[in-house]
Short mmCIF file of all heavy atoms in Angstrom, two decimals:
data_model
loop_
_atom_site.label_atom_id
_atom_site.label_comp_id
_atom_site.label_asym_id
_atom_site.label_seq_id
_atom_site.Cartn_x
_atom_site.Cartn_y
_atom_site.Cartn_z
N PRO A 442 -4.89 10.14 35.67
CA PRO A 442 -5.23 10.36 34.26
C PRO A 442 -5.68 9.07 33.59
O PRO A 442 -5.00 8.04 33.68
CB PRO A 442 -3.90 10.86 33.66
CG PRO A 442 -2.85 10.25 34.53
CD PRO A 442 -3.44 10.18 35.92
N LEU A 443 -6.82 9.10 32.94
CA LEU A 443 -7.33 7.92 32.26
C LEU A 443 -6.52 7.63 31.01
O LEU A 443 -6.03 8.54 30.33
CB LEU A 443 -8.80 8.12 31.88
CG LEU A 443 -9.78 8.32 33.04
CD1 LEU A 443 -11.18 8.58 32.50
CD2 LEU A 443 -9.78 7.12 33.97
N ARG A 444 -6.39 6.34 30.69
CA ARG A 444 -5.77 5.90 29.43
C ARG A 444 -6.87 5.25 28.61
O ARG A 444 -7.58 4.36 29.10
CB ARG A 444 -4.65 4.90 29.68
CG ARG A 444 -3.57 5.35 30.64
CD ARG A 444 -2.87 6.60 30.18
NE ARG A 444 -2.40 6.51 28.82
CZ ARG A 444 -1.78 7.52 28.18
NH1 ARG A 444 -1.62 8.69 28.78
NH2 ARG A 444 -1.36 7.38 26.95
N VAL A 445 -7.05 5.69 27.38
CA VAL A 445 -8.16 5.22 26.57
C VAL A 445 -7.66 4.69 25.23
O VAL A 445 -6.86 5.36 24.55
CB VAL A 445 -9.18 6.36 26.31
CG1 VAL A 445 -10.41 5.83 25.58
CG2 VAL A 445 -9.59 7.02 27.62
N GLY A 446 -8.11 3.50 24.87
CA GLY A 446 -7.71 2.91 23.60
C GLY A 446 -8.86 2.15 22.96
O GLY A 446 -9.77 1.68 23.67
N LEU A 447 -8.84 2.03 21.66
CA LEU A 447 -9.87 1.26 20.97
C LEU A 447 -9.78 -0.21 21.36
O LEU A 447 -8.70 -0.79 21.42
CB LEU A 447 -9.69 1.38 19.45
CG LEU A 447 -10.12 2.69 18.80
CD1 LEU A 447 -9.77 2.66 17.33
CD2 LEU A 447 -11.61 2.93 18.97
N ALA A 448 -10.93 -0.80 21.64
CA ALA A 448 -10.99 -2.22 21.98
C ALA A 448 -11.71 -2.94 20.86
O ALA A 448 -12.90 -2.73 20.64
CB ALA A 448 -11.73 -2.42 23.30
N ASP A 449 -10.99 -3.76 20.14
CA ASP A 449 -11.54 -4.48 18.99
C ASP A 449 -11.38 -5.97 19.25
O ASP A 449 -10.26 -6.47 19.31
CB ASP A 449 -10.79 -4.06 17.72
CG ASP A 449 -11.39 -4.66 16.46
OD1 ASP A 449 -11.85 -5.82 16.52
OD2 ASP A 449 -11.39 -3.99 15.42
N SER A 450 -12.50 -6.69 19.40
CA SER A 450 -12.43 -8.12 19.73
C SER A 450 -11.74 -8.93 18.64
O SER A 450 -11.00 -9.87 18.91
CB SER A 450 -13.83 -8.68 19.97
OG SER A 450 -14.66 -8.47 18.84
N ASP A 451 -11.97 -8.56 17.37
CA ASP A 451 -11.32 -9.29 16.28
C ASP A 451 -9.82 -9.07 16.30
O ASP A 451 -9.03 -9.99 16.08
CB ASP A 451 -11.89 -8.84 14.93
CG ASP A 451 -13.33 -9.28 14.74
OD1 ASP A 451 -13.71 -10.31 15.34
OD2 ASP A 451 -14.08 -8.60 14.01
N ARG A 452 -9.42 -7.82 16.56
CA ARG A 452 -7.99 -7.53 16.61
C ARG A 452 -7.34 -8.25 17.78
O ARG A 452 -6.23 -8.78 17.68
CB ARG A 452 -7.76 -6.01 16.75
CG ARG A 452 -6.28 -5.62 16.64
CD ARG A 452 -6.06 -4.13 16.92
NE ARG A 452 -6.27 -3.84 18.32
CZ ARG A 452 -7.12 -2.93 18.77
NH1 ARG A 452 -7.85 -2.24 17.94
NH2 ARG A 452 -7.26 -2.71 20.07
N ALA A 453 -8.05 -8.28 18.92
CA ALA A 453 -7.50 -8.92 20.11
C ALA A 453 -7.30 -10.42 19.88
O ALA A 453 -6.35 -11.00 20.39
CB ALA A 453 -8.43 -8.70 21.30
N ARG A 454 -8.18 -11.03 19.09
CA ARG A 454 -8.05 -12.47 18.83
C ARG A 454 -6.80 -12.79 18.00
O ARG A 454 -6.25 -13.87 18.11
CB ARG A 454 -9.29 -13.00 18.11
CG ARG A 454 -10.53 -13.03 18.97
CD ARG A 454 -11.66 -13.78 18.31
NE ARG A 454 -12.87 -13.71 19.10
CZ ARG A 454 -13.83 -12.83 18.91
NH1 ARG A 454 -13.73 -11.94 17.95
NH2 ARG A 454 -14.91 -12.83 19.67
N ARG A 455 -6.40 -11.83 17.17
CA ARG A 455 -5.18 -12.05 16.39
C ARG A 455 -4.01 -11.25 16.98
O ARG A 455 -3.13 -10.79 16.29
CB ARG A 455 -5.41 -11.66 14.93
CG ARG A 455 -5.90 -10.24 14.69
CD ARG A 455 -6.03 -9.96 13.19
NE ARG A 455 -6.38 -8.59 12.92
CZ ARG A 455 -7.61 -8.09 12.90
NH1 ARG A 455 -8.64 -8.88 13.13
NH2 ARG A 455 -7.83 -6.82 12.65
N ARG A 456 -4.06 -11.09 18.31
CA ARG A 456 -3.09 -10.31 19.06
C ARG A 456 -1.67 -10.74 18.73
O ARG A 456 -1.34 -11.91 18.73
CB ARG A 456 -3.36 -10.48 20.56
CG ARG A 456 -2.61 -9.54 21.45
CD ARG A 456 -3.18 -9.66 22.84
NE ARG A 456 -2.96 -10.98 23.39
CZ ARG A 456 -2.12 -11.23 24.39
NH1 ARG A 456 -1.46 -10.26 24.94
NH2 ARG A 456 -1.97 -12.45 24.84
#
Side-chain angles (χ1 to χ4, degrees):
L443 298 177
R444 306 301 308 178
V445 186
L447 285 176
D449 186 324
S450 58
D451 291 333
R452 187 186 70 236
R454 290 191 185 95
R455 56 178 185 274
R456 191 169 64 111

